[in-house]
């Protein structure tokens, strides 16, 4: 392995310049303006995968963005088979003026690669491609490698679901390997065993049939922005609990063991909040910060608009107002059930003076991964050997919707070998990926494949 690790160090500059090419393509999946960029990115990636030596590389068109599937070679039944998942799409870049260097012109500062997608997820995904490339320089791969890479993860689109359901044969494997999560802290390699689920809704309140003069009508009609705000305000109580009836019915309470493991993790609360410009946090009474993020559900307004938001004043009563709401779910909540309950509750809060329209999307169910598989054991040794540090087990508050399908349809162990760091600024301006984690990740991935092939 030492020789392999040295080779990885030797090729650092090559790996970085290739990653830069990948990062330069603005594959923003949620913005239709970038549809052709997403397509271009899929093509670039498929071509790159071929140059690594994947003999069977396919670009699968969907109603949304293309999926890439690849087989390294013919399946050798004497070897273990790995399925590597990742996403090549990225989040939008706004607010653009807060970026210190343009989001699609990667730049290295302080040992970190700054670019949209550097950590989430192009950089983390690229790690495994380079691991395979480096292993191959020493002869045959110790595993059968398959790739499934999507371009819709950040847009909450779900064309990959259908593909997985109808191609479970093609995707057969012994383990699924995913790097799309982060470490607990900068020097604490972490293996994630639980992701929260997610559900979304877009709530629009309709009032008068047009914007009205706020003097001629003010005081005599309901204002949709105010009604919407009142509805939102009633979704949580003063104890930080979500008020939707039955919302917590299926929430599994943490046991004492897990609670004490959470509290043994070195969370510097002051720094946690000061890093995001806050003095203190807030949440459900009776739970620690980690419990709130990892093991309790949450509800947030992602955006709200309505009425006049331009320069200066315009004295109107808007005719409508909209809020985008997301809900994070924990085991054993069911996304469909929770969305239903929430939609019904909101409908009941609507006064007869306005109309409401609710669009919703079920998102994904929460995930809990069994930590006893040999794949997880291999991941522990891989992190230990590559980063010279014993990894910790963590949960994550974020979601990777497709993981549920891997668990349900492939029924194989999933390993969340995350390589991001807490200050990678994913989804934010100045997203970055630490070069040590990039190179160390390549070593860990190569080690993991060797180790798991022996297990
Ligand atoms: N890589 C993230 C998930 C993640 C976030 C893991 C934070 C660990 C920490 C993923 O790309 C993501 O952002 N998922 C979305 C899914 C949504 C758009 C359906 C999320 O969690 O908001
Ligand atoms: Mn991601
Ligand atoms: Mn993301």
């Amino acid at each position: 392995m030492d020789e392999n690790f040295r080779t990885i160090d030797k090729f650092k500059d090559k790996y970085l310049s290739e990653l830069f090419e990948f990062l330069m393509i603005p594959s923003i999946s949620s913005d239709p303006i970038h549809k052709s960029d997403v397509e271009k990115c899929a093509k670039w990636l498929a071509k790159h995968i071929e140059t690594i030596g994947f003999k069977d590389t396919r670009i699968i068109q969907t109603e949304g963005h293309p999926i890439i599937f690849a087989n390294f070679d013919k399946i050798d039944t004497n070897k273990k088979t790995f399925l590597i998942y990742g996403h090549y799409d990225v989040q939008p870049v706004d607010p653009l003026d807060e970026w210190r260097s343009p989001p699609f012109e990667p730049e290295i500062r302080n040992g970190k690669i700054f670019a949209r997608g550097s950590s989430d997820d192009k950089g983390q995904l690229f790690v495994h491609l380079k691991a395979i490339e480096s292993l191959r320089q020493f002869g045959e791969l110790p595993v059968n490698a398959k790739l499934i890479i999507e371009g819709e993860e950040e847009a909450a689109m779900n064309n990959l679901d259908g593909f997985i359901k109808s191609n479970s044969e093609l995707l057969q494997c012994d383990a699924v390997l995913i790097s799309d999560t982060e470490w607990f802290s900068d020097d604490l390699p972490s293996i994630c065993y639980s992701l929260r689920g997610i559900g979304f809704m877009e709530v629009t309140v309709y009032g008068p049939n047009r914007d009205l003069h706020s003097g001629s009508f003010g005081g005599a009609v309901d204002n949709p922005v105010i009604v919407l705000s009142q509805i939102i305000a009633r979704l949580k109580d003063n104890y930080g609990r979500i008020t939707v009836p039955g919302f917590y019915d299926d929430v599994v309470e943490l046991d004492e063991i897990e609670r004490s493991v959470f509290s043994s993790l070195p969370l510097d609360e002051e720094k946690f909040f000061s890093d995001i410009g806050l003095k203190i946090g807030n949440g459900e009474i009776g739970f620690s910060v980690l419990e709130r993020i990892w093991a309790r559900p949450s509800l947030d307004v992602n955006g709200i608009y309505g009425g006049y938001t331009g320069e200066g004043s315009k004295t109107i009563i808007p005719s409508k107002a909209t809020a985008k709401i997301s809900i994070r779910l924990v085991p054993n909540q069911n996304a469909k059930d929770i969305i239903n309950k929430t939609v019904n509750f909101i409908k009941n809060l609507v006064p007869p003076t306005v109309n409401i329209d609710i669009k919703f999307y079920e998102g994904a169910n929460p995930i809990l991964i069994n930590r006893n598989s040999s794949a997880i054991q291999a991941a522990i040794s891989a992190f230990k050997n590559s980063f010279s540090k014993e990894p910790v087990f963590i949960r994550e508050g974020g979601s990777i919707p497709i993981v549920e399908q891997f668990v349900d349809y492939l029924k194989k162990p999933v390993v969340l070998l995350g390589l991001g760091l807490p200050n990678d600024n994913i989804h934010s301006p100045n997203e970055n990926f630490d070069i040590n984690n990039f190179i160390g990740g390549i070593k860990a991935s190569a080690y993991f494949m060797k180790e798991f092939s022996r297990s």
Side-chain angles (χ1 to χ4, degrees):
M1 214 60 219
D2 288 354
E3 203 188 346
N4 195 332
F5 279 14
R6 272 196 298 279
T7 310
I8 292 168
D9 286 325
K10 201 173 84 194
F11 283 103
K12 179 173 160 182
D13 290 342
K14 171 184 178 286
Y15 296 164
L16 279 172
S17 76
E18 291 167 348
L19 174 60
F20 276 30
E21 273 185 47
F22 189 20
L23 291 171
M24 282 162 73
I25 309 170
S27 49
I28 303 170
S29 53
S30 60
D31 187 347
I33 288 181
H34 287 282
K35 189 160 171 62
S36 65
D37 291 318
V38 178
E39 178 91 35
K40 184 175 153 198
C41 194
K43 285 197 180 125
W44 183 91
L45 186 58
K47 212 168 138 210
H48 191 80
I49 287 165
E50 275 175 348
T51 67
I52 292 168
F54 278 81
K55 296 216 175 71
D56 169 20
T57 304
R58 317 175 194 176
I59 296 183
I60 297 127
Q61 297 298 335
T62 71
E63 275 170 32
H65 301 301
I67 297 164
I68 295 173
F69 173 83
N71 253 317
F72 191 78
D73 215 332
K74 278 210 192 61
I75 298 292
D76 175 345
T77 50
N78 294 316
K79 290 179 186 168
K80 290 265 170 65
T81 303
F82 266 104
L83 178 66
I84 294 163
Y85 162 85
H87 61 92
Y88 65 86
D89 63 323
V90 302
Q91 285 276 323
V93 295
D94 64 291
L96 194 55
D97 58 353
E98 287 182 29
W99 286 78
R100 273 190 57 198
S101 52
F104 297 108
E105 294 171 29
E107 188 177 290
I108 294 175
R109 298 193 297 272
N110 305 325
K112 294 164 192 292
I113 309 153
F114 284 83
R116 172 57 88 227
S118 54
S119 173
D120 186 10
D121 179 45
K122 287 175 172 173
Q124 294 200 54
L125 158 66
F126 213 60
V127 156
H128 302 297
L129 302 182
K130 297 298 110 177
I132 289 169
E133 182 177 318
S134 81
L135 282 171
R136 204 172 148 254
Q137 287 172 303
F138 295 92
E140 266 190 33
L141 283 189
V143 291
N144 298 306
K146 295 179 179 182
L147 305 175
I148 182 95
I149 307 174
E150 68 163 315
E152 298 186 335
E153 201 270 351
E154 301 289 13
M157 294 158 78
N158 57 3
N159 290 297
L160 184 57
D161 280 24
F163 183 78
I164 291 179
K165 279 178 196 144
S166 45
N167 291 280
S168 51
E169 198 60 34
L170 185 68
L171 300 172
Q172 257 334 301
C173 61
D174 298 295
V176 183
L177 179 58
I178 303 175
S179 292
D180 193 22
T181 51
E182 51 192 39
W183 289 7
F184 186 77
S185 63
D186 287 3
D187 51 8
L188 210 46
S190 312
I191 297 168
C192 174
Y193 65 93
S194 179
L195 295 161
R196 286 201 287 188
I198 189 165
F200 302 94
M201 56 195 82
E202 208 172 289
V203 181
T204 302
V205 170
Y206 294 93
N209 60 8
R210 56 185 183 273
D211 291 354
L212 303 175
H213 189 288
S214 67
S216 313
F217 293 90
V221 298
D222 247 341
N223 180 318
V225 175
I226 295 180
V227 172
L228 180 60
S229 312
Q230 286 166 333
I231 290 172
I232 292 168
R234 290 177 65 181
L235 297 177
K236 281 196 197 178
D237 67 17
N238 293 337
Y239 304 96
R241 280 176 68 94
I242 295 149
T243 49
V244 175
F247 196 91
Y248 293 87
D249 283 0
D250 299 320
V251 172
V252 177
E253 298 288 332
L254 281 178
D255 60 31
E256 276 315 310
I257 298 173
E258 219 176 335
R259 260 195 125 155
S260 68
V261 173
F262 280 22
S263 62
S264 72
L265 288 167
L267 179 73
D268 180 343
E269 275 196 32
E270 210 172 304
K271 182 175 182 301
F272 180 84
F273 291 113
S274 70
D275 274 350
I276 51 173
L278 297 175
K279 283 199 197 73
I280 49 167
N282 193 17
E284 195 182 352
I285 305 290
F287 295 91
S288 71
V289 171
L290 290 181
E291 287 166 8
R292 287 170 178 172
I293 298 172
W294 290 354
R296 302 297 295 172
S298 63
L299 180 150
D300 276 285
V301 176
N302 312 124
I304 181 165
Y305 55 97
Y308 183 68
T309 54
E311 286 289 312
S313 69
K314 184 181 182 212
T315 48
I316 56 156
I317 295 169
S319 84
K320 60 181 183 188
T322 301
K324 289 177 187 281
I325 296 175
S326 69
I327 299 172
R328 299 281 171 174
L329 310 166
V330 299
N332 288 327
Q333 287 179 300
N334 174 275
K336 229 183 208 142
D337 172 58
I338 293 295
I339 291 280
N340 261 330
K341 286 173 173 162
T342 309
V343 167
N344 287 335
F345 182 61
I346 291 177
K347 283 185 177 157
N348 279 324
L349 296 176
V350 180
T353 50
V354 296
N355 288 311
I356 196 161
D357 177 55
I358 306 178
K359 290 194 178 66
F360 54 90
Y361 164 61
E362 274 135 26
N365 288 320
I367 296 295
L368 200 56
I369 291 169
N370 168 11
R371 279 172 275 171
N372 298 321
S373 68
S374 60
I376 295 280
Q377 289 311 313
I380 295 174
S381 354
F383 265 165
K384 242 195 274 187
N385 276 279
S386 163
F387 294 103
S388 313
K389 199 133 193 198
E390 184 87 28
V392 291
F393 280 113
I394 60 166
R395 293 190 181 211
E396 287 279 11
S399 314
I400 307 174
I402 206 66
V403 174
E404 183 190 354
Q405 313 297 326
F406 290 137
V407 173
D408 287 357
Y409 289 94
L410 304 180
K411 299 184 167 49
K412 289 290 147 52
V414 173
V415 180
L416 297 173
L417 197 75
L419 295 162
L421 296 178
N423 285 320
D424 281 0
N425 295 332
I426 63 171
H427 295 207
S428 301
N430 304 308
E431 178 175 350
N432 62 87
F433 189 34
D434 197 293
I435 295 177
N436 291 331
N437 278 34
F438 177 55
I439 297 299
I442 299 172
K443 294 175 185 170
S445 171
Y447 193 99
F448 177 65
M449 291 186 215
K450 278 202 173 158
E451 183 75 16
F452 188 63
S453 70
R454 283 196 292 261
S455 72

